[in-house]
Amino acid sequence: MDPEVKELDIASLVNKAIAEHGATREAVIPILSEINRALGYIPAAALPEIRRHIHVPEEGVFLADSHLYSAASFYQLFSLRPLGRHVIRFCESAPCHVMGGRQVIQALQDELRLEPGETGEDRKWSLLMTSCLGVCGVGPVFLVDDDIYGNATPEQVAEILARYE
Amino acid sequence: MISLTINGQTLEVPENTTVLKAAEQAGIVIPTLCNHKDLTPYGGCRLCSVDIQGLRLPATACTMLVAPGMVVRTESPALTRYRRTILELLLVGFYDAGYTHSNGTTGPALDTQFAYWVNYYGIDMKSAMTKEPFRRIDSDPNPFIWVDKNKCIMCTRCVRACAEVQGRFVWTQAYRGYDLRIVAGAATTMLQARCESCGACVAHCPTGALDNKMSVRLGPPSRVVTTTCSYCGVGCQLDLNLKDDAPGGRVLRVTSNAKAPINGDHLCVKGRYGYDFIQSPKRLKQPRVRKYLLDGTVRPHNRGPWVEVDWDTALDIAARGLRAARDQYGPGSIGLLTSSKCLNEENYLMNKLARQLLGTNNIDCCDHVHHASVVEGLDTALGLNGQSNSLDDVASEAKSMLIIGSNTSEQHPVFGVKIRQAVLRRGCKIVVAHPDFINMSEYAALRLVHRPDTEAALVNGLTRLILKNGWEDRAFIEKHTVGFEDFKRSVDEFTPERVAALTGVDEKTLQQAAEILAANRPMAVVWGVDLATHPAGGCNVMSLVNLQLLLGNFGAPGGGLISLRTQNNSQGACDMGGHPNFYPGYQSVESGAARKKFEAAWGKGLPAKPGLTATQMMAAAAEGKLRALFILGEDLLAGDSASPQVRRSLQNCDFVVAMEVFDSETSRNADVLLPGVTFAEKTGTFTNTERRIQMVHQAISPQGGSRPDWQIIVELARRIQRNGSNGEYSAWVYGDTSQIMAEAAALTPIYAGVSHERLERVNGLQWPVKNFSHPGTPILSAEYFTGGRGRFTPVEYHRAEAASSNS
Amino acid sequence: MKVIRSMVLVSVDQASLERGAEEVFHTFLDEIDEFGLSDQIAVATIRDVGFRDDIPLVIVYPDAAVYGPVKPEDVHTIVEEHLHKGNIVPHLLAMMHELAPEIAWMRSRKGALPVQKRIVLERAGIVDPESLEDYVLYDGFQALGKALTQLTPAEVIAEVEKSGLQGRGGAGFPTGRKWSFVASTPGNPKYVICNADESEPGTFKDRLILEGDPFSIVEAMTIAGYAIGAHEGYIYIRGEYPLAYRRIENALRQAEAHGLLGDHIFGTDYSFYIHPHAGAGAYICGEETALIESLEGKRGIPRARPPYPTTYGLFGKPTVVNNVETLANVPPILRNGAAWYRDVGLPKSTGTKVYTILGCVNFTGLIEVPMGITLREVIDIYGKGMKDGKKLKLVQTGGSSGTIVPASLQDTPMDFDSFRNAGVSLGSGALLVCGEDTCVVDLAKVILRFFRNECCGKCTPCRIGTLRLYEIMSQISEGKASLSDLEVMQKISEAMSEVSNCGLGQTASTALRDILKYFREEVEAHITDHVCPVGVCPIAGHSPELILVQQPLHAG
């Protein structure tokens, strides 16, 4: 997830996303998802590139950069700035909290030396808070990238983090 | 009609009316903040929540449509509590640095819609709001719009105004919840987000979070004068906000006026922000004459130095010079250039001065090139002297448009925006023909990118395709045209292949264009100065006339020929006789009947031959045949038309009198310079491109020693006039401009029912206004054609060829 | 299909275990099996029976018979006489002159046995979710086949209406009525949307249906489409459920490949296409009009209503939006008939409900039971009692937007009506169980923080109200608030509940209001005494000396 993504990469990514989801307004969120997934975030340069494909006045479809920015900034899973190589999403909703979440987040903060929302200077870790992930039966829960860790305890934190380069 | 009860009052409203609008009708006020009559309802501020019988929770009146038998209560202790809570919550994240009020106290602005409701519910804004700013004040670097997000209440009126009124989509909401923020584009500066600085967002903002940089914190005005803008031919009305703390008053700012007939709350960057020229220190404040005229010596080569003099001296010298030229070299040696920016009344006086007192038809106005083509095209073929339909009916009803030779968004911004709205809201299909990618191209259903100066060939190609497919309106052609067969033959050679070779527009695109325009009627043809300003301008217009006659797009709203006149009074200047061939009202100088009428009115014999056009005047001056020039409010050497020939002509002309507001290249070549005034310092009328005559109201006193131009002309005339003649209107005695208009109206059939008093009452009339009870004529249908029939004019091959090779 | 007619509960609290309860439990299983009654009698355990001498207790449902103390050698008699022959055994009954409150509920409870009855979760965990063959083997696509070949759309709707099925996403709107409305609204095309944006904290029932039995949703949506006259459907799956999305995609592919979706389904005239769509992290997109906006490529902002999606929905067309669990009920209803469905649950709240049990219990997870079970039964029988033997303090029902049920109300039957009468909402079925170690201020803070994060920002009361409520609650938790702040919160909460634009704003302060209703003293202790009775809040400079066991106030 290199913050300095080249123009050509963005263009080809957008083309690929458009090819898969179509060049319509309804495809905007899936397209943004693809880019976010590939790069870890949505670079500003991607928006005019997406707009280029979808803005077709000849067919009565008008799309401005502002529309895309407003959609991209609304959804929690999207990031508009580059994140760390590994992104931790810690569930801070009531069930996980009641099941002992407070101690686990404290352990994560201590281990990473990051406050919630921060990305480390070495760009290895981003620690983000998230709302309920829908695995409440095994709370407390946190994600590391796509891996789900349930029944988490403060003692497990160090070992879990050590698994990631 | 649906019947409902609001606060015990029963009333009937049409279907699809909101509860809010219904309440308005019943005279009941419901508090609102995010609602605006120009914009789709949002339902975000929740202030307009009302109780509706049968519903468990209150509903927002702005979004709720009425239903039969609905019972609404707009007030209750609970509703008051909620509204107060809402306002208090808004003040939690609100900081207004304020300014100093007239009573010396500092505090937040009190005259915003937001402040009104805060005060109404008994909340002290200053103590309830945040104690410190939490966002940067004046956070955007653009030159016109002040952005202070400390005052933003997320009503999104700016977002909706930019989207729905301006069609530009600059503002949007980003993030969510309390982090919600209004941003421009993709969180860039406004200009980077392609803002056009029209100020619509400012006009719609209820808190002053968006304001005008040039006048923020200047406070409320002492008085407001509604007048007509002096920039382009759309003729927007606006409010000059004035303060009377300086003698004669000073301009604080311009605001829009929701009641303006054409533009409502909308203006463009020029109208809204281009007002500091009015009181610019560079204004000419004193008359000047060249030193040699005071000394009585021969004119030096470069005319010599200026000397500031009093008015009498300047006027005497000017009158003497003009009289001398007439007496010595004959009336044909004088030329007058009147102004498409000055009042109708002033143009009328110029025409009277030229013809009655100086005995010449050498009067023209400077964008003659545009006029010439309009005249040649519309007048010759149809007998019309102005566009056939109104801007509003085209914007609301046209199913498609051909926009050719017009960079509408730049030249007629507010009309350009109305076209955008037609595209975005109604799906109107516009075909934009222009060599460049202009702003309007972004909204086009189809672009015709043709080589410069090939418009006539392009349009001929379209008409040929229409004929080949049988899409012409046979009934209309039968009933309302002549010359069809000749014309039909003449377009035969403009095959798609030929057109492609000449214009660069391929066959398939041309076919698509013809389909769109023929299938979506009424269709309006819109053109502007880009089409008309070149030698083949006349041909171009003729070909467009042919197109519309072929498709029968006359008489209905949404059709017609829309020739967009460039300046604020281009139309009026011609209307008032600023033309070598016509008296006011397009009555030909060659017509015996017309000439007799004016001779009787002005008590003087009048020349029978058409005069010189502006171009011809310049040529004559270069050859030494034109000895005197009287120029009102035009800079011949401005911008593109700064040709060396024109400069030489001016230099060569013996005696040049210029009436101006600023120094210009032209005035540098004048012998006498008389300081006139801007539109803010005189009262009179302008006529916009849709033939609408609107009032211009004086707001401040003339700056320095300048004088209203009409007064200057009258003073000059009095000095030139020898003895009184005995026509009804031979005198030059006018108390004010309404008397000038009365005279012009009496002699001009198309203005017959126009008077200042009537215009004050009805706020605008479109000519022809046949008499004082005639309501004016928004649409010129086929019955207005000469003899009720329009003429097809073959646009000949070699002329078209010449047009296309003139690149 | 097993039809359970009786339930036996054996007490297994510490004291009972010391007196041989475990052996009693196993003996029951053996004896019931011996008598061939395993398919009719369910045996489960219960912990909280109060302090008694006559333990172990054995409680037999639905007769409300309590036996105790029960020894292993008594079991045979109970099984033969009571369970097999139907005669209660008087000499083994416990002394009931004072029925302990912990088991008094059985006398007043209404409703069917608290036995799990898996209707929507019938196949989850049993079939291979990626196999069309497995699905068909377990009665899959029978309902669709019946609908398309034997019933008219109107008949399908009539059956659903008769079944009494109500929306399971939280709103409880009668499903048949919604379909009927859209079917008769003019407009073309029409759409079916499956709302799989399950984001209510504590709720993961839809996930299990989507991941465990995805074909059932495909079948259900197609039936819905047929009923209302739609040919296109969308299933909006939250972005945090990638496995569910993949399994649905796979199900769509396989169904289409076999003529069970797409053109001419089952060789009939009817065609239906389903488009999967992933969300991107917004709780508000569970609100149906916000979901539609998101589907259209915009921010998930709820629209002004009316008009409702049934008239003006996706792309402005008439649209049915149904929750996953609601849809999962449809094929069984069509297969087995409306009468069968009505038999389950209560007359006014038919069918089953999926509950998720979370929090301070020994067993967290998912159960599907008929409507009418009580919280006590859920916690005791299925949650296997409070963790570490702590006392129950409160349960938040229906997720973070749900109501707080104090321990005193734990015997209220959980059906739409009873709950409504008690001022409690069922919501999505999430049950967050909190014991005496939960501080209500801390809990309220976490809940309000959720709404501040998820608020879309459109309307004033919610946008600023959720922030202010969270801020004030944080201040209370830090001991920095004053009593007047409680009035401020009350005022804000009232405005939010009445004039917000959507359900999020209307319910965001529900928990707060209930906490102030039932636990006001504990909240005030933070304010006036600067103390957190439970010892959780960061009230600076004070150690938690007092640990009060909060006695909840009764409602009204």
Side-chain angles (χ1 to χ4, degrees):
Chain A
M1 286 173 240
D2 180 359
E4 290 121 9
V5 184
K6 294 198 258 290
E7 246 180 67
L8 201 58
D9 294 337
I10 294 178
S12 65
L13 255 177
V14 170
N15 284 336
K16 195 158 108 18
I18 300 260
E20 186 173 336
H21 297 282
T24 59
R25 185 105 193 245
E26 305 88 77
V28 165
I29 313 250
I31 292 170
L32 290 172
S33 279
E34 293 279 352
I35 296 171
N36 194 77
R37 203 172 313 142
L39 299 175
Y41 76 114
I42 300 173
L47 299 182
E49 193 59 37
I50 299 173
R51 175 182 188 251
R52 226 173 29 84
H53 291 270
I54 300 182
H55 174 68
V56 185
E58 294 88 79
E59 286 160 31
V61 182
F62 294 88
L63 200 69
D65 285 352
S66 58
H67 292 132
L68 291 167
Y69 189 81
S70 81
S73 63
F74 181 82
Y75 296 95
Q76 280 277 13
L77 291 184
F78 296 156
S79 177
L80 290 167
R81 52 188 178 89
L83 295 176
R85 275 199 315 283
H86 301 292
V87 179
I88 299 171
R89 290 198 150 88
F90 182 85
C91 173
E92 58 170 359
S93 290
C96 284
H97 182 85
V98 165
M99 286 156 90
R102 199 204 331 270
Q103 287 78 12
V104 178
I105 181 61
Q106 191 60 53
L108 278 167
Q109 280 175 252
D110 293 340
E111 185 70 26
L112 294 166
R113 274 189 266 260
L114 289 176
E115 293 294 303
E118 283 184 356
T119 300
E121 266 186 45
D122 61 356
R123 304 219 82 91
K124 179 174 181 192
W125 292 108
S126 282
L127 176 64
L128 304 179
M129 304 301 264
T130 188
S131 297
C132 176
L133 294 165
V135 273
C136 326
V138 291
V141 165
F142 64 91
L143 297 174
V144 181
D145 301 332
D146 289 332
D147 303 326
I148 304 182
Y149 292 95
N151 289 322
T153 63
E155 296 75 34
Q156 295 168 338
V157 164
E159 186 266 328
I160 291 173
L161 294 180
R163 301 183 199 175
Y164 295 87
E165 291 287 303
Chain B
M1 294 296 269
I2 297 189
S3 166
L4 75 151
T5 310
I6 307 182
N7 294 352
Q9 230 187 89
T10 308
L11 62 150
E12 290 223 334
V13 293
E15 236 181 280
N16 289 325
T17 306
T18 60
V19 171
L20 183 67
K21 280 225 170 55
E24 262 173 44
Q25 201 181 296
I28 297 172
V29 174
I30 302 177
T32 58
L33 275 176
C34 70
N35 188 68
H36 194 282
K37 66 168 179 53
D38 292 342
L39 310 171
T40 55
Y42 181 55
C45 73
R46 315 304 289 179
L47 214 55
C48 69
S49 299
V50 294
D51 286 324
I52 298 185
Q53 201 175 75
L55 292 186
R56 184 174 67 91
L57 296 174
T60 44
C62 64
T63 58
M64 190 71 163
L65 292 181
V66 302
M70 196 181 249
V71 177
V72 182
R73 284 244 146 247
T74 69
E75 295 291 336
S76 79
L79 288 174
T80 304
R81 259 198 332 269
Y82 307 146
R83 290 173 188 157
R84 194 172 280 131
T85 304
I86 289 170
L87 292 166
E88 285 169 352
L89 286 174
L90 286 173
L91 286 167
V92 162
F94 183 91
Y95 177 80
D96 184 347
Y99 65 97
T100 312
H101 297 268
S102 45
N103 64 4
T105 58
T106 358
L110 297 176
D111 55 351
T112 64
Q113 191 180 349
F114 182 52
Y116 176 80
W117 289 114
V118 169
N119 284 321
Y120 182 89
Y121 282 97
I123 304 168
D124 176 23
M125 196 189 257
K126 195 163 180 189
S127 56
M129 70 182 188
T130 324
K131 299 306 164 228
E132 276 184 352
F134 46 93
R135 299 219 196 279
R136 196 149 62 92
I137 300 177
D138 189 13
S139 56
D140 191 283
N142 85 90
F144 298 110
I145 297 174
W146 170 276
V147 179
D148 180 2
K149 291 186 190 166
N150 295 292
K151 300 204 273 186
C152 179
I153 58 170
M154 297 299 159
C155 70
T156 70
R157 277 170 31 169
C158 56
V159 175
R160 284 174 282 146
C162 196
E164 297 169 23
V165 175
Q166 187 70 358
R168 197 69 170 171
F169 307 102
V170 172
W171 290 116
T172 189
Q173 294 179 77
Y175 305 102
R176 66 187 196 201
Y178 195 70
D179 297 326
L180 196 67
R181 228 175 300 158
I182 307 291
V183 301
T188 59
T189 65
M190 291 170 73
L191 292 179
Q192 283 171 329
R194 307 177 67 226
C195 166
E196 295 172 305
S197 306
C198 73
C201 55
V202 174
H204 286 83
C205 177
T207 65
L210 296 170
D211 208 326
N212 303 311
K213 263 194 203 188
M214 290 158 64
S215 62
V216 66
R217 299 208 180 126
L218 290 185
S222 326
R223 63 193 161 91
V224 167
V225 170
T226 306
T227 186
T228 303
C229 181
S230 69
Y231 277 103
C232 81
V234 172
C236 297
Q237 281 186 10
L238 47 82
D239 282 350
L240 287 171
N241 286 215
L242 308 142
K243 204 120 175 113
D244 286 323
D245 54 3
R250 64 185 176 95
V251 178
L252 273 189
R253 66 174 72 81
V254 166
T255 52
S256 40
N257 185 322
K259 298 206 193 76
I262 300 168
N263 56 306
D265 254 320
H266 204 46
L267 289 170
C268 76
V269 60
K270 290 180 277 190
R272 197 183 286 279
Y273 299 117
Y275 57 84
D276 55 359
F277 72 91
I278 299 173
Q279 293 179 292
S280 158
K282 294 205 189 126
R283 283 280 301 273
L284 296 170
K285 305 254 173 68
Q286 256 333 96
R288 291 183 212 160
V289 300
R290 298 285 180 182
K291 189 159 180 299
Y292 80 87
L293 290 162
L294 293 171
D295 297 343
T297 52
V298 170
R299 195 190 87 170
H301 176 67
N302 64 347
R303 291 187 152 90
W306 284 114
V307 179
E308 271 195 7
V309 294
D310 60 279
W311 273 101
D312 281 327
T313 314
L315 289 165
D316 285 341
I317 292 179
R320 203 184 316 141
L322 292 173
R323 231 182 17 241
R326 178 195 65 188
D327 296 340
Q328 230 184 321
Y329 301 101
S333 71
I334 308 180
L336 288 91
L337 290 168
T338 184
S339 172
S340 51
K341 298 204 81 64
C342 285
L343 303 169
N344 285 327
E345 292 79 359
E346 288 158 350
N347 281 296
Y348 173 79
L349 290 182
M350 286 292 276
N351 123 88
K352 184 178 177 182
L353 174 68
R355 293 172 165 132
Q356 185 209 37
L357 293 184
L358 297 172
T360 177
N361 279 326
N362 294 349
I363 175 168
D364 201 359
C365 41
C366 257
D367 52 6
H368 69 280
V369 186
H370 194 193
H371 298 176
S373 65
V374 169
V375 168
E376 207 182 317
L378 291 180
D379 185 53
T380 317
L382 303 175
L384 297 184
N385 296 106
Q387 63 185 57
S388 69
N389 284 54
S390 302
L391 300 177
D392 195 53
D393 74 71
V394 167
S396 328
E397 306 287 338
K399 292 230 169 59
S400 65
M401 299 185 206
L402 171 64
I403 302 175
I404 179 165
S406 160
N407 191 346
T408 328
S409 310
E410 286 206 17
Q411 294 155 358
H412 298 86
V414 170
F415 182 52
V417 161
K418 281 186 185 291
I419 297 177
R420 285 183 200 165
Q421 287 173 18
V423 174
L424 292 171
R425 292 187 203 181
R426 297 192 297 114
C428 173
K429 294 183 171 14
I430 59 172
V431 175
V432 176
H434 205 283
D436 304 323
F437 189 91
I438 55 175
N439 182 274
M440 199 50 78
S441 312
E442 284 186 38
Y443 299 82
L446 187 72
R447 288 179 54 214
L448 297 173
V449 185
H450 61 89
R451 293 196 195 100
D453 300 340
T454 60
E455 288 90 347
L458 184 68
V459 178
N460 280 352
L462 284 173
T463 49
R464 183 185 172 281
L465 276 173
I466 290 169
L467 282 165
K468 274 283 174 299
N469 283 286
W471 292 331
E472 70 271 18
D473 184 337
R474 299 239 169 80
F476 183 86
I477 295 172
E478 268 281 324
K479 201 157 170 251
H480 293 294
T481 70
V482 293
F484 176 63
E485 293 301 324
D486 282 339
F487 157 71
K488 189 166 171 211
R489 271 192 295 276
S490 76
V491 294
D492 250 343
E493 45 187 333
F494 290 91
T495 60
E497 301 79 36
R498 185 120 194 283
V499 171
L502 286 171
T503 67
V505 174
D506 65 270
E507 301 173 34
K508 183 154 161 278
T509 313
L510 195 70
Q511 173 74 22
Q512 269 177 303
E515 272 170 27
I516 292 175
L517 298 173
N520 293 287
R521 287 180 246 190
M523 185 272 287
V525 171
V526 177
W527 79 89
V529 68
D530 292 354
L531 176 98
T533 330
H534 47 71
C539 294
N540 293 339
V541 174
M542 301 277 210
S543 63
L544 294 172
V545 171
N546 293 337
L547 175 65
Q548 289 294 55
L549 285 176
L550 196 63
L551 292 171
N553 277 316
F554 285 101
L561 290 159
I562 311 301
S563 65
L564 293 173
R565 309 304 297 270
T566 321
Q567 309 291 353
N568 57 308
N569 206 24
S570 305
Q571 183 69 42
C574 283
D575 292 350
M576 289 287 113
H579 198 289
N581 297 24
F582 297 116
Y583 298 119
Y586 304 98
Q587 303 169 95
S588 170
V589 302
E590 294 177 287
S591 145
R595 198 168 58 250
K596 273 204 184 45
K597 178 171 86 171
F598 279 93
E599 283 176 345
W602 290 338
K604 200 75 185 296
L606 298 176
K609 265 180 55 202
L612 299 172
T613 66
T615 325
Q616 291 166 335
M617 284 187 223
M618 290 300 111
E623 292 166 26
K625 294 212 190 100
L626 201 78
R627 298 285 181 161
L629 262 175
F630 181 20
I631 307 173
L632 167 60
E634 291 281 0
D635 185 2
L636 298 163
L637 295 169
D640 300 344
S641 39
S643 75
Q645 291 100 310
V646 174
R647 190 186 300 277
R648 266 201 302 280
S649 307
L650 280 178
Q651 281 164 353
N652 210 32
C653 186
D654 279 351
F655 189 66
V656 178
V657 178
M659 258 204 303
E660 270 286 24
V661 281
F662 287 103
D663 236 326
S664 68
E665 284 296 310
T666 300
S667 59
R668 246 154 263 193
N669 291 286
D671 298 279
V672 178
L673 187 55
L674 304 169
V677 298
T678 68
F679 76 113
E681 297 149 275
K682 56 192 175 186
T683 295
T685 59
F686 292 146
T687 304
N688 80 346
T689 185
E690 53 174 13
R691 300 171 278 104
R692 182 187 299 269
I693 307 145
Q694 299 184 100
M695 287 302 296
V696 177
H697 291 115
Q698 179 172 4
I700 53 173
S701 307
Q703 299 295 287
S706 63
R707 284 189 188 177
D709 311 62
W710 65 272
Q711 286 178 9
I712 304 174
I713 303 169
V714 168
E715 287 301 307
L716 251 182
R718 287 231 204 89
R719 284 164 170 80
I720 297 174
Q721 184 177 50
R722 281 281 166 70
N723 359 14
S725 12
N726 42 12
E728 187 184 349
Y729 296 110
S730 50
W732 281 82
V733 177
Y734 303 102
D736 58 47
T737 53
S738 70
Q739 294 173 354
I740 307 174
M741 178 51 77
E743 178 178 318
L747 298 170
T748 314
I750 57 176
Y751 276 64
V754 178
S755 71
H756 284 195
E757 183 268 338
R758 195 171 173 214
L759 287 173
E760 296 287 5
R761 267 187 296 120
V762 303
N763 198 14
L765 287 162
Q766 285 172 277
W767 63 253
V769 189
K770 301 197 177 139
N771 54 56
F772 283 105
S773 29
H774 187 254
T777 318
I779 299 181
L780 296 172
S781 59
E783 62 187 62
Y784 287 89
F785 296 169
T786 320
R789 284 185 179 271
R791 171 180 301 281
F792 281 103
T793 314
V795 174
E796 289 177 5
Y797 176 75
H798 67 262
R799 279 185 85 185
E801 189 87 283
S804 19
S805 63
N806 260 5
S807 30
Chain C
M1 210 185 336
K2 297 179 10 168
V3 180
I4 305 290
R5 63 167 171 84
S6 220
M7 194 174 193
V8 173
L9 294 168
V10 180
S11 69
V12 295
D13 55 287
Q14 196 54 38
S16 294
L17 285 173
E18 282 165 13
R19 297 192 200 181
E22 194 166 350
E23 208 193 325
V24 170
F25 178 79
H26 287 295
T27 313
F28 261 104
L29 288 175
D30 292 337
E31 288 288 339
I32 285 170
D33 196 38
E34 279 267 345
F35 275 86
L37 297 169
S38 297
D39 274 355
Q40 304 168 45
I41 318 262
V43 185
T45 58
I46 181 172
R47 255 153 219 78
D48 191 9
V49 292
F51 183 66
R52 309 176 61 87
D53 279 330
D54 43 10
I55 49 174
L57 293 180
V58 169
I59 300 164
V60 179
Y61 257 147
D63 314 286
V66 184
Y67 295 104
V70 175
K71 296 187 282 298
E73 47 272 26
D74 297 325
V75 176
H76 176 86
T77 315
I78 296 173
V79 175
E80 180 169 28
E81 289 300 319
H82 186 161
L83 297 175
H84 180 55
K85 291 184 189 165
N87 305 321
I88 293 181
V89 186
H91 72 269
L92 289 176
L93 288 174
M95 302 301 276
M96 297 294 280
H97 51 266
E98 235 180 64
L99 199 56
E102 290 80 355
I103 55 173
W105 42 264
M106 76 183 92
R107 289 257 183 86
S108 59
R109 81 183 301 286
K110 299 172 239 179
L113 295 179
V115 177
Q116 278 213 71
K117 187 181 182 65
R118 301 210 140 196
I119 295 181
V120 302
L121 288 175
E122 201 183 349
R123 298 186 198 86
I126 299 180
V127 298
D128 174 0
E130 303 190 4
S131 159
L132 174 58
E133 282 82 10
D134 255 15
Y135 182 67
V136 171
L137 202 63
Y138 278 82
D139 302 328
F141 283 107
Q142 275 188 28
L144 178 62
K146 180 173 173 186
L148 290 185
T149 59
Q150 296 172 28
L151 302 171
T152 62
E155 285 169 338
V156 172
I157 294 177
E159 197 70 13
V160 175
E161 267 181 312
K162 244 191 302 177
S163 74
L165 175 65
Q166 285 166 289
R168 296 287 194 264
F173 193 87
T175 309
R177 199 188 313 163
K178 189 187 273 191
W179 287 13
S180 155
F181 196 78
V182 176
S184 58
T185 302
N188 248 307
K190 298 188 184 163
Y191 295 101
V192 175
I193 295 180
C194 171
N195 183 346
D197 186 64
E198 177 178 64
S199 309
E200 188 70 56
T203 312
F204 48 93
K205 57 183 177 69
D206 295 341
R207 175 200 272 271
L208 253 73
I209 297 171
L210 292 167
E211 289 179 1
D213 195 7
F215 287 98
S216 71
I217 299 303
V218 175
E219 184 180 4
M221 283 177 74
T222 314
I223 294 172
Y226 177 68
I228 68 167
H231 297 281
E232 264 187 279
Y234 286 80
I235 169 161
Y236 188 99
I237 304 173
R238 67 181 298 209
E240 295 87 337
Y241 284 0
L243 180 58
Y245 187 86
R246 280 202 298 279
R247 295 227 167 125
I248 285 285
E249 264 191 322
N250 173 63
L252 294 173
R253 242 195 324 269
Q254 288 197 37
E256 211 168 327
H258 287 84
L260 298 164
L261 183 69
D263 278 333
H264 299 299
I265 302 171
F266 277 109
T268 65
D269 278 336
Y270 182 66
S271 304
F272 190 71
Y273 305 86
I274 299 181
H275 312 284
H277 185 107
Y283 167 77
I284 188 61
C285 285
E287 199 281 332
E288 55 182 13
T289 58
L291 188 155
I292 290 173
E293 288 284 299
S294 184
L295 260 180
E296 292 180 2
K298 301 177 249 177
R299 298 158 67 78
I301 309 269
R303 296 176 176 170
R305 283 146 291 126
Y308 291 93
T310 44
T311 4
Y312 185 90
L314 185 63
F315 308 128
K317 303 293 181 190
T319 306
V320 154
V321 182
N322 278 140
N323 171 261
V324 169
E325 188 188 344
T326 314
L327 283 169
N329 277 294
V330 170
I333 288 172
L334 281 193
R335 243 187 5 255
N336 303 309
W340 162 85
Y341 195 76
R342 289 204 76 87
D343 257 353
V344 185
L346 303 171
K348 286 230 200 111
S349 295
T350 55
T352 58
K353 178 87 190 78
V354 179
Y355 293 105
T356 45
I357 311 170
L358 314 154
C360 311
V361 288
N362 285 312
F363 172 79
T364 58
L366 206 67
I367 57 171
E368 181 176 359
V369 283
M371 289 287 217
I373 196 174
T374 66
L375 273 172
R376 186 193 293 274
E377 289 165 301
V378 170
I379 292 170
D380 230 4
I381 300 174
Y382 295 102
K384 309 241 186 286
M386 298 292 292
K387 206 172 198 175
D388 303 329
K390 303 277 180 173
K391 273 196 67 156
L392 174 67
K393 186 168 183 179
L394 60 89
V395 177
Q396 187 176 30
T397 60
S400 289
S401 62
T403 46
I404 303 278
V405 185
S408 60
L409 288 179
Q410 63 179 303
D411 294 318
T412 316
M414 294 203 285
D415 61 81
F416 291 113
D417 282 336
S418 305
F419 254 32
R420 216 191 333 262
N421 291 337
V424 178
S425 79
L426 207 53
S428 63
L431 301 171
L432 179 60
V433 181
C434 299
E436 53 195 288
D437 285 347
T438 306
C439 168
V440 292
V441 168
D442 185 56
L443 179 66
K445 198 174 82 170
V446 169
I447 292 169
L448 292 170
R449 180 176 61 196
F450 172 77
F451 287 109
R452 188 211 60 182
N453 289 343
E454 297 295 337
C455 163
C456 78
K458 173 175 179 177
C459 73
T460 313
C462 181
R463 180 178 75 246
I464 310 179
T466 52
L467 175 81
R468 284 301 291 141
L469 292 179
Y470 172 67
E471 280 180 348
I472 296 174
M473 195 50 85
S474 298
Q475 285 173 329
I476 293 177
S477 82
E478 290 169 25
K480 293 187 188 152
S482 61
L483 279 176
S484 61
D485 285 331
L486 291 182
E487 278 166 42
V488 172
M489 287 207 290
Q490 190 68 43
K491 199 176 54 165
I492 295 175
S493 163
E494 187 196 25
M496 282 172 67
S497 316
E498 293 287 308
V499 294
S500 289
N501 182 49
C502 79
L504 190 156
Q506 288 157 11
T507 57
S509 59
T510 302
L512 172 67
R513 279 208 318 279
D514 283 348
I515 285 173
L516 289 175
K517 182 158 98 178
Y518 297 115
F519 298 97
R520 197 181 182 95
E521 281 169 24
E522 187 177 337
V523 177
E524 285 185 0
H526 288 72
I527 298 173
T528 50
D529 303 334
H530 296 286
V531 116
C532 174
V534 177
V536 152
C537 292
I539 293 185
H542 292 270
S543 54
E545 294 131 3
L546 299 163
I547 297 191
L548 307 167
V549 174
Q550 181 67 41
Q551 298 300 321
L553 302 167
H554 279 261

